[in-house]
Amino acid sequence: MSRARLPLAALSLASASALLLAGCSQSSDASETAGDKAAPAAAATGTKPAPFSKGKVKVALVRQSGAGDYFEQWGNGAKAQAKALGIDLTVYDAQADNAKQATDLSSAINSGAQAIIVDHGFPATIQPEIDKAVKKGIKVVVYDIETTNKSVISTKQDDASMAQAVLDVMGDELGKDAKVGYVNVAGYAALDKRDSVWKKTADANGWKQEFKVGKVTDSTATDNVPLVSAALTQHSDVAGVFAPYDELAKGTVLAVQNKKLQDKVKVFGADVSNADIQNMTAKGSPWVATAGTDPSAVGAAVVRTTALELAGQLNKSSVEFPAVAITQDFLKSKGIENMDQLRTALPALNLSKVSTADWIPNVAH
């Protein structure tokens, strides 16, 4: 999406929301990596404010993560930034179990955490626990979740900009009045926002939507292959398919290839990760464009946002992370094979100036 996750992003994946869940774990180890290198922290020069001036600060990260390395990188960025700040970070992951995420949130509330970060999730399930945390005086920062509590700090990918960025490329590639397919799922905040942009753009271009399919599971890419394959059997004349979460896009790519339509049908996705880059640059890949944020940088920025809120220095109720378009042609022309190379080639992904201060050692790429 993430992706979703939504990572969706995401879907952001409720978001790139609940884009569903990778591993179930609790850990305070902020040092692990996942296929891309964590950037070294830029040294802090300012004096730490309270509560950071008093030693370790206890923070809980309650996740509803999804399939794919987007969520791994997001988590690694968060952990690396927490470690640099001296945060004692406990991570919970609900593994596609909404009831468990509510239980995890309850555990986090009772753990003595001074702040709780909630990464993805279904609002109806977790809103009561979010309200309890706020009432108890705990700072709550959510990522890609719609919440009704005005005391909660909201962080998210700019899903409208993400969808628009890739749909602008799709418009250039397909032109007006093209026959198109659509792979998406309703009920996730990030995907619903991307859907709104899709409807406006499709209408403005006169595109004829021949089919809409899609579902989110704990094996989203695999489980969407038969759905998209069946749709392509009936509508093999579509010129392009929009799948606004990278796991949906992966499934769409496999379906297009299985139907041997990769020379006729172009795939337009959303989110970006190491696996997505490898997929887009593979020989004969029909995935020609995506749009996304750097998941590692986003995870780190969410932790910095939380730190500023704890220090009383945030002075805003929401923070958005803008997305950029990434095309297959760009990746191939620059010889880009992974996120580290993409960060170097595309500085717009760098969030080092988002949610920072002179006392914060910044690990954003």
Side-chain angles (χ1 to χ4, degrees):
M1 38 183 95
S2 211
R3 2 164 71 312
R5 194 86 45 18
L6 28 97
L8 333 189
L11 298 170
S12 36
L13 317 46
S15 309
S17 280
L19 288 177
L20 276 136
L21 315 190
C24 173
S25 66
Q26 293 188 33
S27 171
S28 58
D29 179 7
S31 63
E32 68 182 77
T33 59
D36 69 323
K37 296 176 289 185
T45 58
T47 302
K48 291 181 179 180
F52 296 91
S53 58
K54 301 177 181 179
K56 289 275 187 179
V57 175
K58 190 173 179 61
V59 175
L61 171 57
V62 180
R63 306 194 73 192
Q64 184 78 295
S65 66
D69 62 347
Y70 177 96
F71 288 96
E72 293 181 69
Q73 291 184 42
W74 195 106
N76 289 337
K79 291 175 184 179
Q81 184 65 74
K83 184 177 182 180
L85 275 162
I87 287 174
D88 178 8
L89 185 71
T90 300
V91 181
Y92 305 79
D93 201 329
Q95 199 173 13
D97 187 333
N98 295 322
K100 185 179 186 304
Q101 189 179 23
T103 301
D104 287 346
L105 247 177
S106 180
S107 298
I109 291 169
N110 295 322
S111 71
Q114 294 163 265
I116 298 174
I117 299 168
V118 186
D119 169 29
H120 297 109
F122 286 102
T125 305
I126 58 179
Q127 186 65 58
E129 296 300 326
I130 288 175
D131 292 339
K132 288 178 186 177
V134 170
K135 188 173 182 179
K136 195 171 180 179
I138 299 170
K139 301 294 186 183
V140 178
V141 176
V142 301
Y143 177 71
D144 264 339
I145 298 171
E146 298 295 334
T147 175
T148 57
N149 195 309
K150 297 187 182 301
S151 296
V152 171
I153 304 302
S154 174
T155 66
K156 55 189 175 182
Q157 294 182 117
D158 186 344
D159 288 291
S161 78
M162 179 178 291
Q164 195 62 65
V166 72
L167 286 172
D168 285 346
V169 178
M170 188 170 178
D172 291 340
E173 291 280 342
L174 303 187
K176 301 287 186 179
D177 304 320
K179 291 183 178 180
V180 296
Y182 187 34
V183 184
N184 201 1
V185 183
Y188 297 90
L191 294 183
D192 289 344
K193 291 173 185 174
R194 299 174 195 186
D195 177 67
S196 295
V197 178
W198 162 256
K199 289 175 179 175
K200 293 177 183 176
T201 306
D203 183 66
N205 283 285
W207 292 337
K208 300 174 180 64
Q209 183 177 304
E210 298 296 306
F211 64 82
K212 178 183 178 183
V213 297
K215 62 181 177 180
V216 170
T217 69
D218 56 359
S219 301
T220 297
T222 301
D223 290 344
N224 276 275
V225 175
L227 298 180
V228 181
S229 293
L232 289 172
T233 297
Q234 297 182 17
H235 304 284
S236 61
D237 58 344
V238 295
V241 180
F242 182 46
Y245 164 38
D246 57 354
E247 293 303 306
L248 294 174
K250 290 175 187 175
T252 301
V253 166
L254 286 170
V256 170
Q257 292 173 328
N258 287 346
K259 302 300 292 185
K260 302 188 184 306
L261 293 171
Q262 57 265 38
D263 294 331
K264 298 179 180 179
V265 180
K266 297 179 179 180
V267 177
F268 302 84
D271 305 313
V272 63
S273 69
N274 287 326
D276 298 340
I277 292 170
Q278 292 164 13
N279 198 314
M280 291 178 69
T281 57
K283 184 177 181 180
S285 173
W287 189 350
V288 299
T290 191
T293 55
D294 174 0
S296 180
V298 169
V302 172
V303 172
R304 294 197 303 274
T305 300
T306 305
L308 289 172
E309 176 66 4
L310 278 166
Q313 296 181 6
L314 184 61
N315 302 318
K316 61 177 69 175
S317 61
S318 65
V319 179
E320 284 194 337
F321 310 117
V324 295
I326 302 158
T327 66
Q328 183 186 76
D329 287 344
F330 176 81
L331 295 173
K332 288 184 173 181
S333 67
K334 299 292 184 180
I336 295 169
E337 299 178 349
N338 54 51
M339 286 298 300
D340 287 323
Q341 293 172 346
L342 181 62
R343 292 178 186 112
T344 299
L346 197 60
L349 289 171
N350 193 324
L351 298 176
S352 62
K353 295 182 180 179
V354 177
S355 292
T356 191
D358 62 3
W359 57 270
I360 294 179
N362 194 321
V363 300
H365 292 83

